[in-house]
């Protein structure tokens, strides 16, 4: 088994490419994951799709074959072209895949370093695959450790504080442009998680928030969660509001643009629109006194954010490096434990067999059985104590797999150890 991660993010793609690669709903994700797992070379799979990245996280038999298969299926889905996707893709194998996963979970690979949403999005992607039985053992182990790593980074640094999300970055840009936000209205389109985060930051920045969504009931429920008044409008008012309000931030999950050229009228005042949805909510529009910012256009604030957080990021990467190594040590220890356990179980079987045989032959009396068993167990425990310590120390050795395989073969433990390992899979907590 090998770990394989194929990544498309703000680092290697533009927003137009990410729009084509985006998986906007669970039906699309489910269909794609099923197609991946139809390939007998791909054992487990998780799909993470956000406004800034698409990550295919897998455990596979052959990384070379699986990489081509995954990218071919992405080409079938996106129609971008196999060669283009293959050239753009960041492909990580084994150690690199785990290091990349831990970096993503810890928000070190995000557009905004330290943003707080990514670990929740990764947990949601993990839960989805887990609920569908698309991952069973290898990926749950890796994801569990990635959440542990993300928690360690949060506890050791201040990367999770301040303006650390695409939504907060958009609001920060709007506040920088407007300067005095008192009495200035900001329109938010959508009633999902990103919109909730956007409203929170807009209110903190002093804007008066107007909320609109196709689902007015859901929008009102969201508005009611805030102490401050949120003005909820019917979706039929969208075009009118677009031409009345100076600031607009849209973050819907629509698979196509919802704001088009014909909806936009010329206005005497300046308007600033922020499209933080992928696929984009705003079509290519030209109008005087209108500035449109997409996710990629927020890079100037992101660069400033990165320079301020550079020292903290060094600490975070040190944690990621350390825990990536620890993860593989832990994996090796999981291989060792069944071998050690079965050495003792085999010894117990021999004791049972020999004691029963001795009693049948009349070599020992029934009254002495318990004491003789204890004596045999003491001998076995003392005899195996040193080999057990040595075997456990081997778990950190590069030759671990060879040594374990040899031991399994010599003692006839291989099938038993594998059976134990498969039935002894750890139960992982997602929300650490």
């Amino acid at each position: 088994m090998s770990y394989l991660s194929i990544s498309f993010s703000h680092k290697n793609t533009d927003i137009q490419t990410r729009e084509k690669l985006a998986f906007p709903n669970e039906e699309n994700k489910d269909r794609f994951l099923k197609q991946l797992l139809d390939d007998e070379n791909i054992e487990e799979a998780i799909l993470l799709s956000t406004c800034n990245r698409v990550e295919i996280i897998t455990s596979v038999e052959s990384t070379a074959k699986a990489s081509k298969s995954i990218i071919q299926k992405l080409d079938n889905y996106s129609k971008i072209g196999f060669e283009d996707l293959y050239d753009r893709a960041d492909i990580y194998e084994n150690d690199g895949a785990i290091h990349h996963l831990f970096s993503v979970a810890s928000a070190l690979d995000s557009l905004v370093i330290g943003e707080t949403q990514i670990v929740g999005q990764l947990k949601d992607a993990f839960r989805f695959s887990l609920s569908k039985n698309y991952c069973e053992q290898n990926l749950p182990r890796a994801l569990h450790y990635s959440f542990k790593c993300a928690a360690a980074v949060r506890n050791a640094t201040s990367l999770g504080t301040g303006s650390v999300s695409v939504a907060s970055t958009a609001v920060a840009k709007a506040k920088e442009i407007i300067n005095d936000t008192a009495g200035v209205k900001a329109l938010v389109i959508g009633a999902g998680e990103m919109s909730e985060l956007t409203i929170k930051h807009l209110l903190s920045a002093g804007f008066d928030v107007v909320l609109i969504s196709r689902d007015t009931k859901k929008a009102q429920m969201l508005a009611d969660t805030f102490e401050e008044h949120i003005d909820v409008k019917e979706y039929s008012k969208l075009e009118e509001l677009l031409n009345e309000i100076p600031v607009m931030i849209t973050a819907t999950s629509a698979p196509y643009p919802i704001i088009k050229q014909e909806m936009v009228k010329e206005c005497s005042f300046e308007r600033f629109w922020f499209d933080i949805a992928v696929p984009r909510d705003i079509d290519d529009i030209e109008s005087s006194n209108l500035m449109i910012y997409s996710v990629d256009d927020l890079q100037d604030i992101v660069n400033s954010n990165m320079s301020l957080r550079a020292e903290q990021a060094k600490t975070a990467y040190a944690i990621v490096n350390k825990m990536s190594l620890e993860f593989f040590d832990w994996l090796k220890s999981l291989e060792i434990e069944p071998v050690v356990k079965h050495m003792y179980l085999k010894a117990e079987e021999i004791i049972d067999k020999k004691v029963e045989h001795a009693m049948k032959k009349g070599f020992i009396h029934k009254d002495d059985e318990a004491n003789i068993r204890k004596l045999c167990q003491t001998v076995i425990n003392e005899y195996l104590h040193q080999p057990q310590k040595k075997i456990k120390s081997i778990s950190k050795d590069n030759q671990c797999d060879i040594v374990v395989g040899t031991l399994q073969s010599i003692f006839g433990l291989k099938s038993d150890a594998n059976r134990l390992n498969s039935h002894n899979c750890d139960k992982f907590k997602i929300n650490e």
Side-chain angles (χ1 to χ4, degrees):
M1 185 280 297
S2 297
Y3 286 108
L4 172 68
S5 182
I6 296 181
S7 173
F8 296 92
S9 70
H10 61 280
K11 292 183 175 181
N12 57 11
T13 57
D14 53 25
I15 194 167
Q16 289 84 359
T17 302
R18 296 201 301 279
E19 283 177 331
K20 294 176 183 177
L21 287 170
F23 291 81
N25 55 60
E26 290 190 350
E27 289 76 15
N28 285 354
K29 292 176 186 176
D30 189 40
R31 192 179 307 114
F32 186 77
L33 285 166
K34 282 179 179 175
Q35 290 172 2
L36 288 184
L37 293 168
D38 282 342
D39 186 332
E40 60 183 16
N41 189 48
I42 301 173
E43 300 167 342
E44 302 177 26
I46 293 171
L47 169 59
L48 172 66
S49 179
T50 75
C51 61
N52 281 321
R53 67 179 58 252
V54 171
E55 301 276 342
I56 313 295
I57 307 161
T58 61
S59 67
V60 302
E61 287 295 326
S62 164
T63 55
K65 291 179 181 177
S67 296
K68 291 180 180 178
S69 175
I70 292 168
I71 291 176
Q72 183 60 64
K73 288 176 173 60
L74 281 171
D75 173 36
N76 296 340
Y77 175 77
S78 66
K79 310 302 181 188
I80 292 174
F82 178 87
E83 293 299 331
D84 189 9
L85 285 173
Y86 199 85
D87 289 342
R88 289 175 181 267
D90 287 329
I91 301 175
Y92 303 93
E93 302 175 11
N94 292 317
D95 295 23
I98 294 300
H99 189 277
H100 176 67
L101 172 63
F102 288 10
S103 298
V104 169
S106 302
L108 295 176
D109 196 63
S110 296
L111 177 68
V112 183
I113 299 294
E115 56 101 352
T116 53
Q117 281 186 294
I118 187 64
V119 70
Q121 293 165 331
L122 188 56
K123 285 177 181 178
D124 288 342
F126 178 32
R127 286 191 188 97
F128 183 79
S129 279
L130 207 55
S131 68
K132 300 284 186 177
N133 295 319
Y134 297 156
C135 62
E136 296 178 351
Q137 177 171 285
N138 298 319
L139 291 187
R141 286 173 173 171
L143 269 293
H144 166 76
Y145 230 89
S146 76
F147 302 144
K148 184 178 176 182
C149 181
V153 168
R154 285 197 304 272
N155 292 334
T157 70
S158 59
L159 287 174
T161 61
S163 178
V164 290
S165 69
V166 175
S168 62
T169 303
V171 173
K173 185 67 175 177
K175 183 174 173 59
E176 177 189 314
I177 294 168
I178 301 296
N179 193 16
D180 183 5
T181 60
V184 178
K185 289 184 178 181
L187 175 65
V188 176
I189 306 175
E193 182 183 351
M194 189 71 84
S195 295
E196 180 180 1
L197 194 60
T198 300
I199 293 170
K200 175 185 172 184
H201 289 293
L202 284 169
L203 292 173
S204 296
F207 286 95
D208 293 337
V209 177
V210 179
L211 177 60
I212 193 169
S213 170
R214 290 185 189 276
D215 189 337
T216 306
K217 185 177 178 181
K218 186 178 178 182
Q220 189 61 59
M221 289 174 64
L222 174 58
D224 291 342
T225 63
F226 293 92
E227 292 183 6
E228 298 89 339
H229 173 70
I230 308 295
D231 190 7
V232 178
K233 298 291 188 181
E234 294 287 337
Y235 195 76
S236 59
K237 300 277 189 181
L238 176 59
E239 185 171 335
E240 178 183 331
L241 294 169
L242 287 174
N243 295 295
E244 290 179 354
I245 296 176
V247 175
M248 185 274 287
I249 301 179
T250 180
T252 77
S253 57
Y256 48 80
I258 60 171
I259 301 171
K260 300 185 177 181
Q261 181 73 58
E262 59 269 21
M263 300 169 68
V264 182
K265 297 176 182 176
E266 294 299 323
C267 295
S268 58
F269 61 91
E270 290 188 317
R271 286 175 291 179
F272 306 95
W273 291 355
F274 298 85
D275 188 349
I276 58 175
V278 176
R280 285 174 294 176
D281 283 338
I282 304 174
D283 207 353
D284 293 329
I285 293 172
E286 291 186 9
S287 180
S288 59
N289 296 328
L290 171 63
M291 283 293 297
I292 300 174
Y293 299 87
S294 70
V295 169
D296 290 357
D297 294 322
L298 301 173
Q299 194 66 48
D300 55 341
I301 293 179
V302 171
N303 290 339
S304 173
N305 177 285
M306 288 178 66
S307 63
L308 289 172
R309 295 168 183 269
E311 288 303 315
Q312 292 287 305
K314 287 180 183 178
T315 301
Y317 272 116
I319 293 170
V320 169
N321 292 339
K322 177 176 175 287
M323 294 196 69
S324 297
L325 295 173
E326 284 182 2
F327 172 72
F328 283 102
D329 287 343
W330 176 66
L331 277 190
K332 287 179 181 178
S333 74
L334 293 180
E335 297 174 10
I336 293 290
E337 290 297 334
V339 173
V340 171
K341 182 169 183 176
H342 275 268
M343 288 175 67
Y344 281 92
L345 289 177
K346 283 284 186 182
E348 288 282 352
E349 289 176 9
I350 293 169
I351 290 171
D352 289 341
K353 182 179 177 182
K354 293 301 179 183
V355 169
E356 287 175 12
H357 179 74
M359 286 195 298
K360 282 182 181 178
K361 293 291 185 179
F363 297 150
I364 60 175
H365 297 293
K366 181 68 176 175
D367 294 344
D368 298 324
E369 180 186 357
N371 289 331
I372 289 173
R373 284 182 180 278
K374 286 181 182 177
L375 175 63
C376 292
Q377 287 166 350
T378 300
V379 171
I380 290 296
N381 287 342
E382 187 167 338
Y383 178 70
L384 292 179
H385 177 68
Q386 189 61 31
Q388 173 189 329
K389 287 177 62 179
K390 189 66 176 175
I391 290 170
K392 287 187 174 181
S393 71
I394 287 170
S395 67
K396 296 183 180 180
D397 194 303
N398 289 334
Q399 302 299 314
C400 173
D401 293 341
I402 297 172
V403 174
V404 170
T406 302
L407 284 170
Q408 289 174 334
S409 178
I410 290 172
F411 288 95
L413 304 172
K414 193 158 190 174
S415 59
D416 288 340
N418 289 341
R419 177 169 48 81
L420 178 71
N421 209 17
S422 64
H423 288 110
N424 216 23
C425 183
D426 305 287
K427 306 298 182 200
F428 295 107
K429 295 178 182 177
I430 298 177
N431 45 330
E432 284 196 42

